[in-house]
Each structure stands twice: as structure tokens, then as C-alpha cells.
Amino acid sequence: MSSRAGHLPQVDPNLEPFQEERWRLLALPLDRRDFLRFFGGGLLVCLAHPPAVAQESGRNFGGHPLPRDIAAWLHIDAESRVRVFTGKVEVGQNIRTSLAQQVAEELRVPFDSITMVMGDTALTPYDMGTFGSRSTPTMGPQLRNMATAARQMLIETAATRWKLDAASLIAEAGKVTDPRTSRSFTYGELTGGQDLVQVVSDPPLTPAADWKIPGTSIPKADGRDFVTGRHQYPSDIIRENMLFGAVLRPTGYNATLVSLDSSAAEKLRGVQLVRDGDFVGVVAPDAFTAERAISLLRAQWNVPAQPSNRELFRILKDSSDPGDGPQSTSGSVEQALAAAPIHVDQQYTVQYIAHAPLEPRAAVAEWNGSNLTVWTGTQRPFGVRDELTQAFHLTADQVHVIQPDMGSGYGGKHTGEAAMEAARLARAAGKPVKIVWSRSEEFTWAYFRPAGVIEIRAAAQHDGTLAAWEHHNYNSGSAAIGTPYVVAAQLVHYHPASSPLRQGSYRSLAAAANVFARESHMDALAHAAGLDPLDFRLKNLTDARLRAVFQAAAEGFGWGREKSTPVRGWGIAGGTDKGGYTAACAEVAIDPAAHSFRIVRVVQAWECGAIVNPDGLRNQIAGAIVQGIGGALFEQILFADGRVLNPRFAQYRVPRFSDVPQIEVVLIDRKDLPSAGAGETGIVALAPAVANAIFAATGVRIPTLPMAPRTPAPGSPAPPLRS
């Protein structure tokens, strides 16, 4: 990170029991050996794993390969308590629960005997981060392998003690039992207070059809702590003798500090000023004093001229290299376009939007000599550790990053800005320092979902057969850019561009933008061909899984029972990405007099292989629908002259309870397929389904996101339409 407060790095956009004990532990900067000593002896299992590099959407995020030998994923103590270690983090997606379910199944222990230790760089194996819907398909099998291997070791240990054939014994409910005599050992009795280490190969896992714990809707682990306020988020962490920090923000992006008068601020009791180039911060005994000190600083900044929203899409097109970026080509698009009778050409645009997490960025930093411990909210604890080691010229074993379950991220907390600021201030102050960003800072200095321009040319035959497809995405990214529909002649091209604002990952990455454009365009082609939009899609679709979600959504919605009218419209859209398949039907009510609309009902079908926790999955999809309403209808970052113009919730419109329609989620459980992630792709179908419903009712095709950007007063029933 640059020392300049206005210069921040870009991020690749294609990117119960024992609770008190656990939280006391996570408040201590222990290493792995101290952690196991703290809990006493037990069974420690190691797994030899082939080399791999974690990626997000096919891109290397940070360049760190996973180690060849991944040890100490699972620990069983003498009391048969199980602790499971993973670098993945809990950010509201309920992965703490679903991973524990999978371990409990393979280890044959009660679910509530498991404690997940997550996102702690001193305790857990290296992990690239929690993104890309990868926790379920990659970490799930990893932990299941470890649990199965541990179960086999326990059975073999009991068989040795009893001098029996291991195949004659069974493991169940945390015990190994000899069914002929009913004698048994608890897992804790088998470990005998000793650490047993063994390297194992991948063992056979329990088929999903035989699951007893996964596949059921177990309530959220630690749920009581969250609803009672007992849970400590990163912004709740307190350390002894801790001070509070705040940072002076420039008046615009890419600013340089010309002059600073800090005399008034330094007169406040207990305030210490920290300056390093263009970085200026303060520490104080309390947060109020720190913020007051910042307000008393008199700074003059040099802010260079910068563009605004009005020029955004022209800049993205003009700054791209027509020949740069990945592309896929088959057949002659130009010949197919010339020969086909039905053509639709359209440009689609999407604005920058903010992540708007419930908990803004927060961090507590504490130095102990040259060793640094940081508690922070991040989706990449090891990535933040790398940032800190580089910034302060430390080694990895000198930096300990701990991630308490945080208040959401949506792809927006891959970087460690707050951790870096807290560490700088703490080193200068000689005491622990806490930084909690204000809502305005979160809106202004965090990165955004990329804006983009998408241009599609396509053609079809009179019978509805797709003939040609050309899709260009400028800047917003390549996720889900390829069409799942069968078309012989196609050209799909992603063009990187120079972004005026800092941008990075967001839930679904660019899939939301690409699916919005593609599914809007498919709808337009269907109408041009005089075909039902669902029939048109199915005619050109051979992917059985995508066909299944379209058909399930249509059946649940009652597609085709009624025709759209000027006051009521029905739309459909779908897509696939990251192993998930989804389709949504939307109903909108139109008020012709007010030229406005509201979303009345959404039915969304979802399939991601074998379902681990149905209620958790249903909540993820419903949450994605609600979040998708914001990006579809209201959300956009307004900017000019290097400044964000709407950096508060009073100015930045997010979905309200009054915006939420009737939601029905249809889950397709494919126990014959591996489980895939569900955190991201569930958001992609909402916007095009709504846009298509509006067109079906009004004949107005809205090719822009957001579709209704003006902010109505609270309580107003509907956003305005625009063409």
C-alpha cells in the first residue's frame, strides 16, 4: 500500500459447548503448538496433499501455492472434543456450520462436539482466502478426507488393543464399538492424551445418499451468541491499554498533502499525531477524541483533475485495448449474422456499486517487540499477513492475523487497509490501537464492484434457433461471460480497461453484469422471433442442469398461465457459474400513471449438487435475491473531481424491507453430484428477470444497471421507470 492516503491498490475484479473457552483462546495470540498444549493431548491427523494454487475465477490471487503436506487439520482431545482447523472464514455464509456437518458425518461424532477454528494464521493451514464459492467444493472434501482418515485410525487403534480385525468394529457417536460384545472406547480414551501423527492418502468418503448429518438443516453454529450480542466482531475486540486511532482522509483520490497544521489537534489531552509522508493519523484514549482530533487538523491537499459519472462508459471503451484480454471464437460470426433474418444489437451498462457491509472495516493491532498481532475482518487472513510482512519488513512468523467472524464482506474485504493503518499507528504509539472505519470511509476508500460496458450482437432463425452471438465486455470482468446456449458462430471477448475508480471483487464478480446482458438479449431475441422466452431458451439449451432449474423455476412460478399486461409483467432469466445453476421468474406491478413499478414476487430455482444444509442454502439464495435488488434497481456510486458524491446510506440507496417481494426458493438436491458453493451465483438472475418482466408489460427495454437509480423518499411504493 502506498503511504499516500489517497493511493490505494487495485484488486483484480476476477477475483454452543466450549464457546467461552474458544473465544478466550482466540483472544490470545497463540501459535499452533501452544494451542494444542493449551487443550492437552489428543489425536493429530495429517494428510499428504498434492500441490495446488488457490484461484478465484481462474486467476491466481496472490501467487502463494498451497503447501504439499497439510498437517493438523483436525484434533481430538482426551475428552473426545473435536477441533477442526481451516483458513476459510465465516462471513455470514454459514460455512462454519456446513463444514462442521461434513466433519461430523465422516468422523461419526455428534455435531455439537465440533468446534471450528477458522481464519487464524498461527493455528490454521495456509489458505488463499474465502471467495469464489470455493469453501464447499474445496474445503469440504479436504476436511472430509481428514475426518475419514481419523475415523479409520481410531478403529485400527481399538482393533490393536482388542487384538481384533478392524473390519469387525464400528465407529459411531464418538465411540469405537465391538458389536459382538458391546464393549467400546470413546475417541478420547483411544487418544490416551497422546498426539498420534500419521500421513494418509485420500480415503473413500460417505456417499451423499447415505448422509445423516449433512443434508439436514442444522441451526447455525454459534447462533445464540450472535442473537444475544455475545459474539465479538472485529470491531468489538478490546486489548489492555488499547488506544483508538483515526486517519486523516484526503479531499480526493490520488491527492498529495501540501501542508498540515496540527497544533489544535495536538492540544487535546492524550492525542498523539503520526505522520509518514502523506499518511496522517492520530491515536487517543477514546474513539470520540480521536475523531475530534482529526476534525481539528488543517490540511491542504493537491487533488488532480479526474472524471465523473458522465464520462464513465466512454472512458472504459476508449481506454481498452481491442485486442487485449481473453476471447473465445467459433465459426464465422459475420457470415452467420449476414445470413440470419432476426438481429438484435444492444449496448448494456453497469455502474460501480459499493459492498455496503453491515460491519465496516475494523482492526486492532498489537506489537510485542518485532512481532505483530492483528485482529481484523478480512476474507483473506493470510493475504493480509503478507501485506503486513511486506509493509513492515517482517517475516511471516512475526505476523499473526486473527479473523473473528465478521459482519459480512461480499467480496469487499480482500485487502487489509484497516489492519495496515492500525499497525502503523500502534507501532508509533507503542500500545495496541483499534481502527474502525466510519460508514463514509467504507463508501469512499474501499474498492467497488467494477463498472462495465457490454455490447452484444446476435441473430436467430425464424424457428428460434440461435445463429450468431458476439459478446464484448469492457472492464467489468470475464466471469460467466460465455453463453451456455448452443450457437455455432460466436465470439466472446473480455477487454480490460483503465478504471477511474478503485475496483475489485464483488459477490458473483462480473457474472451479474454478463448474465444481465446475456439474458436481457436472449429475451429480446425471443420477442423478435415471436416465441415464448422460456421456450426460446430451452430450444437453444442442451445443458441438462440449466434446463432443470429453468423448468423448476417456471413450474414453481406458474409460468405461462397468464400473459403479461400493461400493469403486470412476468420475466425469466438464468445462468450458471462456479458450479451453481440458477433460474428466476419475476413478477412486477406497473403503475402507468406514476410511470413506476415494484417487484411483487420472485421464484428462484437453485442447484449446486448435493445440498449440505438446506436451510442455510435457502437463506443464501434469498439473501442473494434481496442484495440483487439493490444492484438491479438503485445502487450506484456517483463521483466527480476525485470525490464520491454519495458516501452515506442517506444518499446511497440499498434495498429496504418495503422493497422485498414475496420470495420462493426451489432447491434441487443432486446427491449424485459433488457439492458446489452457493455464496455467489444466486445473485445473477434477479436483475435480468426483472428487466424482462418490465419489457413484457411495457415494451420498454432497460439496458442499464441500476434500472431505477433515483432515490425515492422512505415509504414511497415504487421506483420510477426509465428507458
Side-chain angles (χ1 to χ4, degrees), residues 132-214:
S133 289
R134 302 306 303 159
S135 295
T136 294
T138 60
M139 190 53 59
Q142 179 85 337
L143 296 181
R144 292 176 66 198
N145 283 337
M146 295 309 306
T148 302
R151 185 183 82 238
Q152 292 177 346
M153 286 181 62
L154 290 162
I155 292 173
E156 291 166 2
T157 301
T160 299
R161 293 188 184 184
W162 286 328
K163 295 182 173 55
L164 296 174
D165 181 2
S168 68
L169 306 181
I170 61 171
E172 198 63 56
K175 298 178 181 180
V176 177
T177 301
D178 177 1
R180 293 170 298 181
T181 63
S182 297
R183 57 182 172 173
S184 65
F185 286 121
T186 66
Y187 286 179
E189 289 171 333
L190 289 169
T191 64
Q194 299 180 20
D195 292 342
L196 303 177
V197 179
Q198 179 176 333
V199 176
V200 298
S201 58
D202 290 354
L205 304 181
T206 304
D210 296 333
W211 283 349
K212 295 180 176 63
I213 300 175

Side-chain angles (χ1 to χ4, degrees), residues 284-498:
D286 57 81
F288 176 81
T289 302
E291 291 298 333
R292 187 180 177 206
I294 289 292
S295 71
L296 292 174
L297 295 175
R298 297 292 174 258
Q300 181 180 353
W301 298 90
N302 179 25
V303 182
Q306 294 172 73
S308 71
N309 285 87
R310 292 189 297 273
E311 308 155 90
L312 173 59
F313 301 125
R314 176 187 59 79
I315 290 172
L316 295 181
K317 286 265 331 239
D318 291 351
S319 66
S320 69
D321 183 340
D324 196 12
Q327 59 180 300
S328 174
T329 306
S330 64
S332 172
V333 172
E334 293 299 334
Q335 290 180 10
L337 285 169
I342 299 171
H343 297 80
V344 175
D345 299 351
Q346 181 66 60
Q347 181 185 85
Y348 303 88
T349 60
V350 296
Q351 294 276 3
Y352 295 109
I353 66 176
H355 297 81
L358 189 63
E359 181 187 32
R361 280 161 175 72
V364 174
E366 179 176 300
W367 289 86
N368 182 10
S370 60
N371 294 325
L372 171 64
T373 302
V374 173
W375 295 257
T376 190
T378 175
Q379 295 172 241
R380 300 177 60 243
F382 287 90
V384 172
R385 185 193 66 178
D386 291 343
E387 292 179 33
L388 293 167
T389 59
Q390 293 170 17
F392 296 102
H393 306 290
L394 302 172
T395 60
D397 59 3
Q398 290 178 292
V399 180
H400 182 185
V401 176
I402 303 169
Q403 200 273 29
D405 294 2
M406 65 179 175
S408 72
Y410 309 121
K413 294 180 180 176
H414 285 186
T415 48
E417 297 90 343
M420 193 78 68
E421 292 165 354
R424 294 176 82 168
L425 295 176
R427 187 169 65 170
K431 293 181 179 181
V433 170
K434 175 188 284 191
I435 284 274
V436 179
W437 280 22
S438 68
R439 183 57 60 185
S440 180
E441 286 176 305
E442 182 70 35
F443 268 116
T444 303
W445 298 104
Y447 55 84
F448 305 111
R449 187 185 78 176
V453 177
I454 299 171
E455 295 178 341
I456 300 179
R457 295 194 303 162
Q461 305 295 344
H462 285 303
D463 65 355
T465 303
L466 281 174
W469 187 269
E470 184 175 357
H471 182 129
H472 296 270
N473 179 304
Y474 298 88
N475 186 66
S476 63
S478 60
I481 193 172
T483 177
Y485 301 102
V486 176
V487 52
Q490 58 177 294
L491 168 62
V492 178
H493 195 173
Y494 165 56
H495 307 266
S498 297

Side-chain angles (χ1 to χ4, degrees), residues 606-619:
W606 176 262
E607 189 262 284
C608 57
I611 297 174
V612 177
N613 188 307
D615 276 357
L617 176 56
R618 191 173 288 105
N619 292 339

Side-chain angles (χ1 to χ4, degrees), residues 39-104:
F39 283 111
L43 174 68
L44 181 65
V45 182
C46 304
L47 174 68
H49 195 78
V53 175
Q55 295 182 342
E56 179 172 15
S57 293
R59 295 178 181 245
N60 187 327
F61 199 99
H64 293 278
L66 290 172
R68 292 183 62 87
D69 297 321
I70 304 176
W73 292 87
L74 184 150
H75 182 80
I76 305 172
D77 67 17
E79 286 73 41
S80 299
R81 295 176 299 187
V82 182
R83 285 173 176 81
V84 180
F85 302 90
T86 173
K88 299 298 182 189
V89 299
E90 172 63 56
V91 291
Q93 79 279 42
N94 208 31
I95 200 67
R96 181 181 291 278
T97 305
S98 59
L99 288 178
Q101 286 181 262
Q102 295 175 77
V103 172

Side-chain angles (χ1 to χ4, degrees), residues 608-671:
C608 57
I611 297 174
V612 177
N613 188 307
D615 276 357
L617 176 56
R618 191 173 288 105
N619 292 339
Q620 278 292 294
I621 302 308
I625 291 169
V626 174
Q627 185 175 3
I629 291 172
L633 303 188
F634 316 116
E635 294 186 49
Q636 63 174 332
I637 290 294
L638 304 177
F639 64 96
D641 301 321
R643 295 184 301 116
V644 171
L645 305 179
N646 55 337
R648 296 175 177 83
F649 278 131
Q651 303 157 319
Y652 185 91
R653 176 80 152 88
V654 295
R656 304 171 179 144
F657 283 114
S658 59
D659 298 315
V660 178
Q662 176 185 339
I663 294 174
E664 179 183 346
V665 177
V666 180
L667 300 181
I668 301 175
D669 189 3
R670 291 290 304 271
K671 294 188 183 301

